[in-house]
PDB file of all heavy atoms in Angstrom:
ATOM      1  N   LYS M 530      71.581  17.967 107.162  1.00 95.00           N
ATOM      2  CA  LYS M 530      70.372  18.330 107.738  1.00 95.00           C
ATOM      3  C   LYS M 530      69.509  19.167 106.864  1.00 95.00           C
ATOM      4  O   LYS M 530      68.303  19.447 107.318  1.00 95.00           O
ATOM      5  CB  LYS M 530      70.581  19.051 109.215  1.00 95.00           C
ATOM      6  CG  LYS M 530      71.353  18.261 110.144  1.00 95.00           C
ATOM      7  CD  LYS M 530      71.570  19.043 111.431  1.00 95.00           C
ATOM      8  CE  LYS M 530      72.435  18.373 112.408  1.00 95.00           C
ATOM      9  NZ  LYS M 530      72.828  19.255 113.548  1.00 95.00           N
ATOM     10  N   ASN M 531      70.033  19.576 105.761  1.00 96.00           N
ATOM     11  CA  ASN M 531      69.261  20.597 104.946  1.00 96.00           C
ATOM     12  C   ASN M 531      68.648  19.921 103.776  1.00 96.00           C
ATOM     13  O   ASN M 531      69.254  19.108 103.240  1.00 96.00           O
ATOM     14  CB  ASN M 531      70.229  21.699 104.391  1.00 96.00           C
ATOM     15  CG  ASN M 531      70.728  22.574 105.578  1.00 96.00           C
ATOM     16  OD1 ASN M 531      70.261  22.389 106.698  1.00 96.00           O
ATOM     17  ND2 ASN M 531      71.609  23.445 105.282  1.00 96.00           N
ATOM     18  N   ARG M 532      67.430  20.327 103.383  1.00 97.00           N
ATOM     19  CA  ARG M 532      66.906  19.967 102.197  1.00 97.00           C
ATOM     20  C   ARG M 532      66.413  21.169 101.468  1.00 97.00           C
ATOM     21  O   ARG M 532      65.538  21.911 101.995  1.00 97.00           O
ATOM     22  CB  ARG M 532      65.622  19.094 102.480  1.00 97.00           C
ATOM     23  CG  ARG M 532      64.993  18.398 101.244  1.00 97.00           C
ATOM     24  CD  ARG M 532      64.400  17.152 101.550  1.00 97.00           C
ATOM     25  NE  ARG M 532      64.316  16.477 100.176  1.00 97.00           N
ATOM     26  CZ  ARG M 532      64.797  15.173  99.952  1.00 97.00           C
ATOM     27  NH1 ARG M 532      65.323  14.358 100.911  1.00 97.00           N
ATOM     28  NH2 ARG M 532      64.799  14.680  98.685  1.00 97.00           N
ATOM     29  N   VAL M 533      67.069  21.368 100.282  1.00 97.00           N
ATOM     30  CA  VAL M 533      66.863  22.703  99.581  1.00 97.00           C
ATOM     31  C   VAL M 533      65.930  22.510  98.404  1.00 97.00           C
ATOM     32  O   VAL M 533      66.261  21.694  97.501  1.00 97.00           O
ATOM     33  CB  VAL M 533      68.244  23.332  99.219  1.00 97.00           C
ATOM     34  CG1 VAL M 533      67.989  24.621  98.367  1.00 97.00           C
ATOM     35  CG2 VAL M 533      69.066  23.495 100.333  1.00 97.00           C
ATOM     36  N   VAL M 534      64.764  23.138  98.352  1.00 97.00           N
ATOM     37  CA  VAL M 534      63.828  22.907  97.259  1.00 97.00           C
ATOM     38  C   VAL M 534      63.926  24.445  96.485  1.00 97.00           C
ATOM     39  O   VAL M 534      63.518  25.371  97.013  1.00 97.00           O
ATOM     40  CB  VAL M 534      62.404  22.743  97.748  1.00 97.00           C
ATOM     41  CG1 VAL M 534      61.485  22.382  96.569  1.00 97.00           C
ATOM     42  CG2 VAL M 534      62.329  21.691  98.774  1.00 97.00           C
ATOM     43  N   VAL M 535      64.237  24.306  95.279  1.00 97.00           N
ATOM     44  CA  VAL M 535      64.175  25.623  94.385  1.00 97.00           C
ATOM     45  C   VAL M 535      62.856  25.461  93.686  1.00 97.00           C
ATOM     46  O   VAL M 535      62.517  24.463  93.055  1.00 97.00           O
ATOM     47  CB  VAL M 535      65.380  25.668  93.413  1.00 97.00           C
ATOM     48  CG1 VAL M 535      65.204  26.868  92.498  1.00 97.00           C
ATOM     49  CG2 VAL M 535      66.711  25.999  94.261  1.00 97.00           C
ATOM     50  N   VAL M 536      62.048  26.545  93.864  1.00 96.00           N
ATOM     51  CA  VAL M 536      60.710  26.547  93.232  1.00 96.00           C
ATOM     52  C   VAL M 536      60.707  27.572  92.119  1.00 96.00           C
ATOM     53  O   VAL M 536      61.178  28.649  92.120  1.00 96.00           O
ATOM     54  CB  VAL M 536      59.689  27.103  94.275  1.00 96.00           C
ATOM     55  CG1 VAL M 536      58.229  26.969  93.867  1.00 96.00           C
ATOM     56  CG2 VAL M 536      59.939  26.381  95.686  1.00 96.00           C
ATOM     57  N   SER M 537      60.014  27.119  91.029  1.00 94.00           N
ATOM     58  CA  SER M 537      60.018  28.111  89.824  1.00 94.00           C
ATOM     59  C   SER M 537      58.714  27.690  89.037  1.00 94.00           C
ATOM     60  O   SER M 537      58.158  26.703  88.966  1.00 94.00           O
ATOM     61  CB  SER M 537      61.323  27.954  88.976  1.00 94.00           C
ATOM     62  OG  SER M 537      61.194  28.749  87.889  1.00 94.00           O
ATOM     63  N   SER M 538      58.324  28.749  88.202  1.00 89.00           N
ATOM     64  CA  SER M 538      57.351  28.518  87.282  1.00 89.00           C
ATOM     65  C   SER M 538      57.935  28.227  85.923  1.00 89.00           C
ATOM     66  O   SER M 538      57.284  28.056  84.934  1.00 89.00           O
ATOM     67  CB  SER M 538      56.518  29.828  87.192  1.00 89.00           C
ATOM     68  OG  SER M 538      57.252  31.004  87.017  1.00 89.00           O
ATOM     69  N   ARG M 539      59.237  28.125  85.848  1.00 91.00           N
ATOM     70  CA  ARG M 539      59.939  27.849  84.568  1.00 91.00           C
ATOM     71  C   ARG M 539      59.780  26.404  84.289  1.00 91.00           C
ATOM     72  O   ARG M 539      59.414  25.523  85.042  1.00 91.00           O
ATOM     73  CB  ARG M 539      61.498  28.037  84.688  1.00 91.00           C
ATOM     74  CG  ARG M 539      61.802  29.536  84.816  1.00 91.00           C
ATOM     75  CD  ARG M 539      63.300  29.667  85.025  1.00 91.00           C
ATOM     76  NE  ARG M 539      63.623  31.077  85.044  1.00 91.00           N
ATOM     77  CZ  ARG M 539      64.113  31.747  83.993  1.00 91.00           C
ATOM     78  NH1 ARG M 539      64.259  31.234  82.722  1.00 91.00           N
ATOM     79  NH2 ARG M 539      64.384  33.016  84.124  1.00 91.00           N
ATOM     80  N   GLU M 540      60.093  26.167  82.896  1.00 91.00           N
ATOM     81  CA  GLU M 540      59.916  24.756  82.382  1.00 91.00           C
ATOM     82  C   GLU M 540      61.055  23.851  83.061  1.00 91.00           C
ATOM     83  O   GLU M 540      62.130  24.319  83.385  1.00 91.00           O
ATOM     84  CB  GLU M 540      60.363  24.846  80.848  1.00 91.00           C
ATOM     85  CG  GLU M 540      59.117  25.291  80.064  1.00 91.00           C
ATOM     86  CD  GLU M 540      59.474  24.975  78.623  1.00 91.00           C
ATOM     87  OE1 GLU M 540      60.326  25.668  78.132  1.00 91.00           O
ATOM     88  OE2 GLU M 540      59.053  24.011  78.088  1.00 91.00           O
ATOM     89  N   LYS M 541      60.677  22.620  83.116  1.00 92.00           N
ATOM     90  CA  LYS M 541      61.598  21.670  83.826  1.00 92.00           C
ATOM     91  C   LYS M 541      62.855  21.523  83.074  1.00 92.00           C
ATOM     92  O   LYS M 541      63.947  21.395  83.618  1.00 92.00           O
ATOM     93  CB  LYS M 541      60.915  20.263  84.005  1.00 92.00           C
ATOM     94  CG  LYS M 541      60.814  19.377  82.841  1.00 92.00           C
ATOM     95  CD  LYS M 541      60.295  17.937  83.277  1.00 92.00           C
ATOM     96  CE  LYS M 541      60.407  16.893  82.492  1.00 92.00           C
ATOM     97  NZ  LYS M 541      59.801  17.075  81.038  1.00 92.00           N
ATOM     98  N   ALA M 542      62.868  21.664  81.755  1.00 94.00           N
ATOM     99  CA  ALA M 542      64.051  21.399  80.917  1.00 94.00           C
ATOM    100  C   ALA M 542      65.116  22.562  81.231  1.00 94.00           C
ATOM    101  O   ALA M 542      66.324  22.283  81.472  1.00 94.00           O
ATOM    102  CB  ALA M 542      63.756  21.534  79.428  1.00 94.00           C
ATOM    103  N   THR M 543      64.554  23.757  81.494  1.00 95.00           N
ATOM    104  CA  THR M 543      65.541  24.893  81.903  1.00 95.00           C
ATOM    105  C   THR M 543      66.129  24.632  83.245  1.00 95.00           C
ATOM    106  O   THR M 543      67.265  24.688  83.519  1.00 95.00           O
ATOM    107  CB  THR M 543      64.776  26.215  81.811  1.00 95.00           C
ATOM    108  OG1 THR M 543      64.085  26.323  80.651  1.00 95.00           O
ATOM    109  CG2 THR M 543      65.754  27.347  82.029  1.00 95.00           C
TER     110      THR M 543
END
Side-chain angles (χ1 to χ4, degrees):
K530 296 176 185 170
N531 294 353
R532 188 148 199 131
V533 179
V534 188
V535 171
V536 189
S537 179
S538 50
R539 285 177 182 268
E540 278 192 287
K541 78 172 192 307
T543 312

